[in-house]
Every structure is written in structure tokens, then in C-alpha cells.
Amino acid sequence: MEHNTTETAVSCTKMIRKGVSCLLIIGLVTAVALSCGLTLDFETDIGHFRFGAPSFYLMAAGVIAATVLSALLGKYAQGKFSLIAFPDAAPLSTGASYFAAFLAVVAAAASLYDIYIMNLSVAASNLQIAAAFLLPALPVSLILGAHEKYRSSVVRIFFALLAALAVNVNMFACYFDFTLPLNSAVRNLITIAQAGVVLFLLSEARLALSHETRATAPFFVFTSAFAASAVSGISLGLCVFAFVSPNAIPMEIPVYRFACYFGIGILALSRLLALKNAAGPYVPPPEPEPDEAGDENENENDGNPKEKKKSKSPFKRKNGAKSAKSAPRSDKP
């Protein structure tokens, strides 16, 4: 039985690795469509794509395809295998972790520089200031996650959750930025990318928390696949547009931040490629322990069904006793 479940886990990870190539194609198509659409079909005066622009529909189709494929891969992994170790394949995962950490350091330094050195804190909202203050937790979490000794430590879990909070605060700061047009496609894309980064960081923290048990795979597969495709595609497209097109200057796209998100997408890709080394036989999650007091009462009442039936309706017993006591006697003349 153990041999069969192990074979199932290996075959499932092979199928997921085949889906990685599709994720890469989808991410690349999304990046090209987004950068070309922002360069050729985006009207900066109204903040929207030109009506009927094919690049916009191709980019939207890429994001939808990445979401659907990631969900299908996560569903396919359900009940097939459990994670018996952290998905790590040196030197690929280690290099991806340090690459993402380096970009995160640049992003954190640039955010703090803009807020506190360039005196942009006057124009920045409180959410943006809080995000800049919390963002240094991201490179710390990535560096600790690259070392097996500190990967599951309490310090690493704390910084992983703090990094997810930083990106989440940044996401809300962007979403509630009323200087951008309402229902702006660029703002919606930024929100999607940041939501994918938050989910991936939460998945990393979840794996670190469950290092002594076998974590289930669907959430990890979904978040890693989405970050490797949609997040990487959106981030790469925005970075290429910011470097190539002069139209990006008035839009003030934070290139350093999306370069960091692209690095996290590369890290998610390395996690998927290292999935074979971490997959083991499927073990269902433990069921919650029942109440001890409830178990004792059930055991006491198992031998006496009448007593068990009576114990279920104490209010009826009280009301019945009260009504019998207060009822008038029928034999009174």
C-alpha cells in the first residue's frame, strides 16, 4: 500500500512538472501582451486601454488562463501526495531565494528612500508609509528560507508573516489610491500580482509551521503556480514597459517593487521544480479531537438508551414537572 501511494505521489509530481512549461508560456505571453499594450494601446490621459485593443484581451486571457491552470493543478494534487519536506533543490532554489532577496532589498531601500529621504511622505498615504516600514521583513524572510537550519524557525515564520502583511498593506495602499482612475486596468493588474505574492508568502509560512507534520499539497501547488505564471507575467510586463517606453514616466510605476515580485515568481517556479524531492505518500490531515466531557457523557449513556434520551431534553423534563405540580386535581368536588 505504501509502495502504491509513493508511486501515485511520483506520477502526480511528474504531471505537475509538465504543467510548469504551460505556466511559463502563459506568463511570457502575458508579459509581452501587457508591455505591448501599455506601449501601443494605452491612453494615459484617461488611464485605460484603447477600446478593442487586442493586446488587452490577450493579456486578460493570459491572466485568466494562469488562474484556471493553477487551480486545476492544485485540485489535481488533492489527495495524491503530502509534503514530507520543504521543496528545495540546491542550487536552483538557493539561487532563486538569494535573487529574490536581493531584489527585495533594493525594493525596500527604494521605498524607504522615497518616503524618508526624498520627503515624499507628505504626499504618501499612511498605508504607503506603513508598507515602506514593513517591507524590509521580506528580504529577511527570503534569506532565512534559503537555509535549512533557519527555514522552520520561529524567527523565520514571524518575518514571513510580517512580509505578507507588508505586501498586503501595499496592495490596499494601491487599491485605495484615488489619484488613479476608477476601475483602472493597471491598478487591477497590480492588485492581482500583489495578491498572488501574499498567497505565496502565506504558503511559505504554512510550510514552515507544519515542518513536523505532513502538509497538504493543493494550497502550495496553487499559490506557487499562480506566482510563477500570473505574478511573473504581470511584473515582467510592467518592468519592460517602464524601461522601454517613455509613456511610463508620467505613470510613475515602481519598477523596483515589481522586479521584486518577479523574483518571487522565479522562487515559486523553483519550488514547483523541486516538488519531486518533497512529495511523499498522502496522509489526510488529523481530525479535530472531540470534547472529553461529551465523550464521557456519551459513554455513560451508551448502556441506557432511555437515560440518553432523557438527557437530551432537560428543559422538557423541568417544564413537565412544573406543569404536573401546578395542574388542578380532577377529583376535587
Side-chain angles (χ1 to χ4, degrees), residues 33-98:
L34 178 57
S35 58
C36 293
L38 290 174
T39 304
L40 303 175
D41 300 324
F42 191 77
E43 299 179 359
T44 56
D45 52 344
I46 62 175
H48 290 276
F49 286 90
R50 181 172 51 83
F51 179 77
S55 58
F56 170 77
Y57 291 107
L58 182 60
M59 177 268 301
V63 175
I64 294 174
T67 306
V68 172
L69 182 58
S70 300
L72 290 177
L73 290 177
K75 181 64 178 178
Y76 177 74
Q78 184 177 5
K80 299 292 195 310
F81 65 94
S82 296
L83 298 175
I84 59 177
F86 205 90
D88 184 16
L92 179 62
S93 298
T94 305
S97 298
Y98 277 103

Side-chain angles (χ1 to χ4, degrees), residues 96-186:
S97 298
Y98 277 103
F99 176 69
F102 171 75
L103 295 176
V105 169
V106 175
S111 298
L112 294 174
Y113 179 81
D114 290 342
I115 296 296
Y116 297 104
I117 305 299
M118 297 298 292
N119 295 325
L120 298 181
S121 58
V122 178
S125 63
N126 293 330
L127 290 175
Q128 290 174 333
I129 297 175
F133 180 75
L134 294 172
L135 196 57
L138 180 56
V140 176
S141 173
L142 295 173
I143 293 174
L144 292 177
H147 297 275
E148 185 177 359
K149 181 180 179 180
Y150 307 104
R151 186 172 295 154
S152 301
S153 62
V154 177
V155 177
R156 197 270 168 137
I157 296 173
F158 171 76
F159 278 103
L161 296 176
L162 202 62
L165 177 62
V167 181
N168 195 21
V169 172
N170 210 336
M171 179 177 65
F172 278 102
C174 178
Y175 186 80
F176 291 106
D177 185 4
F178 296 107
T179 60
L180 297 174
L182 294 176
N183 298 324
S184 172
V186 176

Side-chain angles (χ1 to χ4, degrees), residues 240-261:
V240 172
F241 167 70
F243 282 114
V244 172
S245 177
N247 298 330
I249 297 176
M251 296 179 64
E252 298 181 356
I253 295 177
V255 183
Y256 45 83
R257 190 185 308 159
F258 289 102
C260 171
Y261 296 161

